[in-house]
């Protein structure tokens, strides 16, 4: 392979493909869908056996919904009303016109078929497929004809297919009712403990006809790396300016080509990046090359909070006739002038230059040996402030770039720096990873195995390999992607979920996680870390879910014990933990027509998928608040309890940094309106928990935590103390006077101490509280307040239900501050159409200022109760006597201003535990 590097040709149109270049024509028009087999309800038979207009990309459910044939599966009990759809076979059909175009090859390219499909063109079978997660390229030259062509995709019932495969391959244990582990389809489409069952079918990603001649780019993998620093170069952490300093970079572009029959000669590949163009030869009769580009000065890509996110455009061209000889002067005179030949094919990527590693190393804390789990980017350890990501819609084709952007913006609002793409969903669309690249949000990508055992034999093994190859090549260029993970909870399940007797010695997926996936990554993406599963203790010799080793999932709190036991887990890295709460009030009322609406009304139970979910909500609430009988109060109590659980968990885990190197809450988002662990509900509205995450994940944190008298982790039944932990997860030093006070609810200071502190960037400091501050004389009406600069942490000696909180402690002032403000748009994902009339003056903004007369805990303004598209800038603010807070409310329409101060809208923890202390008090 030879290469030549020269300045990039900036001539307009220089990279434009000429007539011979590959062309792509999407086949998204004119589709219909109809049922061709299965238990169609009698009253719908005439409608669904007749072709119905269909969308591509799309699914059967959304097509029938658009046609008005079925109700919205997200509403009431319609999920069960529509269960027949997944038991039927469906046929998609369209026609398209085609005329010979001079190209040698024509391929039908299906980016996503969900799932069990037979594809025919003009009556000829092209392929039978059974994998939602891969791309299919089907040659059609033998069957394509001038004029009208008929394309048919027939989908078999995924439920029937999975059931048959489960028997054919041999039963293997799984969670949830259906054998989702027997089919390569989004696992949660069969239902999950937060998701509805759809088992839908459809052409869920683009479908296109590609035409090409000579050769095409079959695969392009740009690998961006940084040159190793010299021994005497400063460490990147030593200089505050170093994150933005240029460093030498290298780009290795791995190229595979496919040739037309008879095209065996050499080909050239040109790579344009950073103002340079580099060419390399694909030798005759070979199908691959690597184009190496050295870049003398690139700017490193950093996670959010560490630096900027520079991205470099990479254009890869496959060039024709590289070895053509020049004609003689005589031949030139005899020939007609020829148009310039452009590239045969072009691919465009963006890359970022950064290093990443996962430190899984022996360590020791409190005399206990352990194993670290630290993500390191550009030699900087990153404390992961994360959230788990599930498909944002039960029908993922509906998730647009705008919707991804809105949800990732909510992650940023919550101060999240990593999203873990969970293994029971999908490999998300390119837009998701592009946006994470732009915003510095790290991504952790599970391979698609979750909570189950999987056959390692054919036909599943080949499907797994094909989908992994497709998606590793597609996603590897993204600098935001910092970790591949083999599975979700399958290693843990094998140990603890009684799977081993039921397996009867059959394969269960271990070979995928320890052999196939590592081998494919070594071939396709060797520079990125990989873990066999989550949780994982760093070695197969240990139980996979141990606090002292690697990553853990902490579910004993929600399932059995209550969220205060988060403090019993001093883990190295927590990859899952969570607490349920209902969706916002507006989403609940949009989705359910229950009358009366109660915690156990029919629609509420349909939209609660967790095993004994309502019982766990109640059991988890009662140690902290009494169980309300009023639905409004129940909704607020459960929402607040979810937020408080996440606050307790996150602050505890961050207080142990760097011993603990990350916390990933379950979960950021929802796929439909449901009571779940999400911080953003299925309509895209922020729950109070999103604001709790924003507070607990902020760069600088002051938190009060239980410790042993020597500062170590408390031992049940052993001596305990209180400590202030100051966390500076910012790039700048932090210093000042740490003021520690024990305060009565009425504001009286009972004890006080001050300490000068100074923290380096990314440092955590623990200081034991003096005994007189840490010891309450009257637990029910005292608290600890620790303040450093603008940050403070609170410790309450008693749970709210056992405290002396009163319910008339707020004065409220509401004023309109803008009558022609930009109207807020509803966050994409809403189950309802946005039909509000903004009026000629545009949106409205209001300030709601609350002032406390006594201690008021967790003030939250639930603006969606006043208007479903109203939003507020903050929630969950605790006020000491005399303190004020101002909330800004944005609305697309004028609001009833007094309603913003009404008790059902302006909520506090006090309201849940105390009646008014004076007759007639409203607050």
């Amino acid at each position: 392979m030879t290469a030549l590097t020269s300045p990039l040709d900036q001539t307009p149109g220089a990279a434009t493909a000429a007539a011979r270049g590959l062309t792509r024509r999407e086949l998204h028009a004119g589709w219909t869908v109809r049922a061709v087999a299965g238990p169609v309800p009698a009253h719908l038979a005439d409608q669904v056996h007749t072709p119905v207009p269909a969308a591509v990309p799309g699914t059967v459910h959304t097509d029938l919904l658009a046609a008005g044939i079925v109700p919205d599966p997200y509403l009431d009990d319609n999920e069960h009303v529509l269960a027949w759809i997944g038991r039927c076979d469906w046929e998609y059909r369209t026609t398209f016109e085609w005329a010979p175009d001079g190209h040698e090859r024509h391929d039908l390219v299906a980016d996503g078929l969900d799932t069990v499909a037979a594809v025919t063109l003009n009556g000829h079978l092209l392929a039978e497929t059974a994998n939602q997660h891969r791309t299919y390229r089907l040659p059609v030259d033998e069957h394509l004809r001038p004029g009208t062509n008929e394309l048919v995709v027939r989908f078999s019932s995924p439920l029937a297919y999975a059931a048959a495969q489960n028997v054919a391959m041999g039963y293997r244990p799984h969670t949830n009712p259906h054998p989702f582990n027997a089919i390569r389809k989004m696992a949660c489409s069969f239902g999950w403990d937060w998701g509805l069952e759809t088992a839908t079918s459809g052409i869920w990603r683009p479908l296109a006809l590609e035409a090409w001649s000579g050769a095409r780019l079959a695969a392009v993998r740009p690998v961006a790396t940084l040159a190793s620093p010299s021994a005497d170069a400063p460490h990147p952490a030593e200089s505050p300016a170093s994150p933005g300093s240029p460093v030498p970079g290298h780009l290795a572009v791995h190229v595979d080509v496919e040739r037309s029959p008879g095209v065996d000669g050499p080909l050239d590949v040109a790579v344009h990046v950073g103002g340079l163009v580099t060419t390399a030869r694909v030798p005759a009769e070979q199908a691959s090359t690597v184009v190496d580009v050295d870049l003398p000065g690139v700017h490193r890509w950093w996670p959010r909070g560490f630096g900027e996110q520079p991205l470099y455009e990479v254009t890869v061209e496959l060039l024709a006739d590289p070895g053509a000889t020049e004609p003689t002067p005589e031949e030139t005179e005899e020939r007609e002038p020829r148009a310039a030949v452009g590239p045969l094919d072009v691919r465009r990527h963006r890359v970022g230059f950064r290093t990443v590693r996962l430190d899984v190393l022996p360590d020791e804390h409190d005399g206990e040996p352990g194993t670290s789990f630290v993500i390191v980017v550009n030699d900087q350890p990153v404390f992961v402030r994360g959230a788990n990501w599930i498909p944002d819609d039960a029908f993922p084709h509906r998730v647009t770039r705008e919707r991804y952007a809105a949800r990732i913006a909510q992650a940023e609002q919550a101060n999240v720096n990593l999203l873990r793409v969970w293994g029971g969903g999908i490999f998300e669309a390119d837009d998701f990873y592009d946006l994470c690249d732009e915003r510095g949000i790290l991504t952790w990508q599970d391979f698609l195995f979750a909570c189950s055992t999987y056959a390692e034999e054919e036909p599943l093994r080949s499907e797994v390999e094909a989908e992994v190859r497709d998606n590793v090549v597609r996603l590897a260029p993204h600098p935001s992607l910092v970790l591949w993970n083999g599975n979700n909870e399958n290693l843990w399940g094998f140990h603890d979920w009684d799977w081993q007797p039921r397996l009867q010695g059959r394969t269960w997926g271990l070979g995928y996680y320890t052999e196939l996936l590592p081998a494919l990554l070594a071939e396709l993406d060797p520079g990125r870390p990989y873990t066999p599963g989550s949780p994982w203790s760093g070695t197969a010799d240990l139980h996979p879910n141990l606090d002292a080793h690697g990553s853990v999932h902490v579910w004993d709190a929600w399932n059995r014990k209550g969220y205060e036991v988060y403090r019993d887990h001093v883990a190295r890295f927590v990859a899952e933990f969570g607490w349920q709460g209902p969706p916002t009030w507006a989403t609940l009322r949009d989705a359910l027509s229950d009358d009366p609406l109660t915690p156990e009304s029919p629609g509420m139970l349909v939209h609660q998928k967790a095993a004994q979910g309502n019982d766990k909500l109640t059991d988890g609430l009662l140690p902290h608040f009494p169980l309300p009988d009023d639905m409004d109060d129940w909704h607020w109590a459960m929402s607040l309890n979810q937020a408080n659980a996440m606050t307790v968990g996150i602050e505890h885990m961050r207080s142990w940094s760097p011993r603990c190197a990350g916390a990933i809450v379950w979960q950021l988002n929802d796929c439909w309106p449901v009571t779940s662990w999400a911080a953003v509900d299925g309509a895209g509205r922020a729950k109070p928990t999103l604001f709790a995450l924003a507070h607990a994940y902020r760069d600088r944190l002051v938190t009060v935590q239980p410790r042993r008298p020597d500062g170590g982790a408390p031992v049940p039944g052993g001596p305990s103390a209180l400590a202030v932990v100051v966390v500076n997860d910012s790039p700048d030093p932090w210093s000042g006077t740490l003021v520690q006070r024990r305060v009565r609810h009425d504001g009286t200071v009972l004890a006080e101490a001050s300490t000068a502190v100074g923290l380096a960037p990314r440092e955590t400091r623990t200081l034991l509280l003096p005994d007189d501050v840490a010891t309450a004389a009257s637990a029910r009406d005292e608290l600890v307040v620790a303040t450093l600069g603008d940050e403070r942490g609170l410790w309450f000696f008693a749970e709210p239900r056992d405290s002396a909180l009163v319910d008339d402690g707020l004065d409220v002032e509401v004023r309109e501050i803008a009558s022609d403000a930009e109207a807020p748009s509803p966050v994409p994902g809403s189950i309802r159409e946005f039909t509000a009339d903004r009026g000629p003056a545009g949106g409205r903004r209001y300030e709601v200022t609350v002032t406390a007369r006594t201690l008021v805990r967790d003030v939250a303004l639930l603006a969606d109760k006043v208007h479903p598209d109203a939003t507020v800038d903050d929630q969950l603010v605790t006020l000491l006597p005399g303190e004020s807070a101002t909330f800004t409310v944005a609305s697309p329409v004028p609001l009833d201003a007094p309603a913003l101060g009404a008790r059902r809208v302006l909520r506090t923890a006090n309201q849940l535990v105390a009646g008014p202390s004076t007759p007639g008090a409203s607050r």
Side-chain angles (χ1 to χ4, degrees), residues 675-692:
T675 297
S676 84
W677 298 265
V680 177
D681 72 23
R685 296 182 176 104
K687 296 160 64 170
T689 294
L690 191 76
F691 298 94

Side-chain angles (χ1 to χ4, degrees), residues 544-604:
N545 200 30
L546 298 173
D547 284 345
H549 297 275
S551 62
V552 298
H553 292 192
V554 177
W555 284 111
D556 58 344
W558 162 254
N559 283 318
R560 297 188 302 276
K561 298 181 178 179
Y563 62 72
E564 56 275 6
V565 304
Y566 285 136
R567 297 191 179 108
D568 295 341
H569 294 272
V570 183
R572 298 301 190 268
F573 191 104
V574 184
E576 282 189 20
F577 66 106
W579 200 269
Q580 272 203 345
T584 61
W585 187 259
T587 297
L588 203 59
R589 295 313 296 161
D590 284 345
L592 302 181
S593 60
D594 292 2
D595 187 11
L597 179 68
T598 74
E600 296 182 316
S601 58
M604 286 292 293

Side-chain angles (χ1 to χ4, degrees), residues 203-275:
I203 305 169
W204 77 291
R205 280 183 167 163
L207 184 71
L209 182 67
E210 290 190 355
W212 53 281
S213 298
R216 70 175 187 89
L217 293 168
V220 175
R221 291 187 295 117
V223 179
T225 56
L226 296 173
S228 300
S230 62
D232 57 352
H235 189 279
E238 294 176 6
S239 169
S242 63
S245 301
V247 295
H250 180 79
L251 185 70
V253 182
H254 300 253
V255 176
D256 297 330
V257 300
E258 180 184 4
R259 301 170 181 266
S260 291
V263 179
D264 299 324
L267 300 166
D268 276 354
V269 176
V271 172
H272 304 255
V273 61

Side-chain angles (χ1 to χ4, degrees), residues 282-313:
V282 182
E285 299 184 352
Q286 294 190 21
S288 63
T289 190
V290 179
V291 185
D292 289 296
V293 184
D294 288 315
L295 297 160
V298 297
H299 293 275
R300 283 172 290 180
W301 184 97
W302 291 91
R304 70 185 304 268
F306 283 78
E308 300 299 317
Q309 292 79 43
L311 298 170
Y312 291 78
E313 301 284 344

Side-chain angles (χ1 to χ4, degrees), residues 35 91 210 390 573 611 644 709 820 884 896:
E91 180 188 86
E210 290 190 355
I390 66 169
F573 191 104
N644 286 345
D820 57 353
S884 297
D896 174 18

Side-chain angles (χ1 to χ4, degrees), residues 501-800:
R502 285 177 270 159
L503 278 167
Q504 303 179 88
R506 292 185 172 122
T507 59
W508 57 277
L510 183 63
Y512 292 145
Y513 318 136
T514 61
E515 297 173 12
L516 179 61
L517 296 179
L520 292 174
L521 290 172
E523 173 190 345
L524 299 172
D525 192 24
R528 205 176 321 256
Y530 167 78
T531 54
S534 184
W536 182 61
S537 292
T539 172
D541 296 332
L542 294 172
H543 186 282
N545 200 30
L546 298 173
D547 284 345
H549 297 275
S551 62
V552 298
H553 292 192
V554 177
W555 284 111
D556 58 344
W558 162 254
N559 283 318
R560 297 188 302 276
K561 298 181 178 179
Y563 62 72
E564 56 275 6
V565 304
Y566 285 136
R567 297 191 179 108
D568 295 341
H569 294 272
V570 183
R572 298 301 190 268
F573 191 104
V574 184
E576 282 189 20
F577 66 106
W579 200 269
Q580 272 203 345
T584 61
W585 187 259
T587 297
L588 203 59
R589 295 313 296 161
D590 284 345
L592 302 181
S593 60
D594 292 2
D595 187 11
L597 179 68
T598 74
E600 296 182 316
S601 58
M604 286 292 293
L605 294 180
V606 169
H607 291 247
Q608 164 61 279
K609 296 297 184 181
Q612 299 177 300
N614 276 10
D615 289 342
K616 292 175 182 177
L617 283 172
T618 299
D619 292 345
L621 179 75
L622 288 174
H624 313 286
F625 297 97
L627 181 66
D629 294 320
D630 174 78
M631 183 61 187
D632 257 311
D633 286 347
W634 180 92
H635 177 267
W636 165 234
M638 295 305 180
S639 299
L640 175 58
N641 209 46
Q642 180 191 21
N644 286 345
M646 292 299 89
T647 298
V648 168
I650 292 170
E651 291 196 2
H652 160 72
M653 294 164 200
R654 293 190 70 191
S655 79
W656 284 106
S657 63
R659 175 174 174 176
C660 176
I664 309 180
V665 301
W666 186 271
Q667 64 219 57
L668 177 69
N669 59 326
D670 261 330
C671 66
W672 75 310
V674 64
T675 297
S676 84
W677 298 265
V680 177
D681 72 23
R685 296 182 176 104
K687 296 160 64 170
T689 294
L690 191 76
F691 298 94
L693 299 186
H695 298 166
Y697 274 156
R698 59 192 182 272
D699 289 353
R700 291 176 169 177
L701 176 71
V702 176
T703 181
V704 181
Q705 296 289 328
R707 291 290 189 267
R708 292 198 311 262
D710 64 359
V715 177
S720 63
L722 287 178
V724 180
V725 184
V726 184
V727 181
N728 181 25
D729 193 10
S730 81
D732 302 311
W734 187 20
S735 62
T737 300
L738 176 66
V739 180
Q740 309 134 72
R741 296 180 294 156
R742 179 164 55 90
V743 180
R744 193 178 291 136
H745 285 193
D746 63 7
T748 303
V749 177
L750 303 173
E752 182 172 351
S754 297
T755 307
V757 296
L759 281 77
R762 315 294 175 189
E763 183 185 358
T764 297
R765 185 83 56 83
T766 300
L767 301 94
L768 290 173
L769 283 173
D771 288 344
D772 61 339
V773 176
T775 305
S778 174
R780 66 188 303 270
D781 65 349
E782 294 180 18
L783 70 153
V784 172
V785 181
T787 305
L788 177 60
D790 295 330
E791 301 296 335
R792 77 178 179 192
L794 305 175
W795 177 268
F796 295 93
F797 293 103
E799 292 293 341

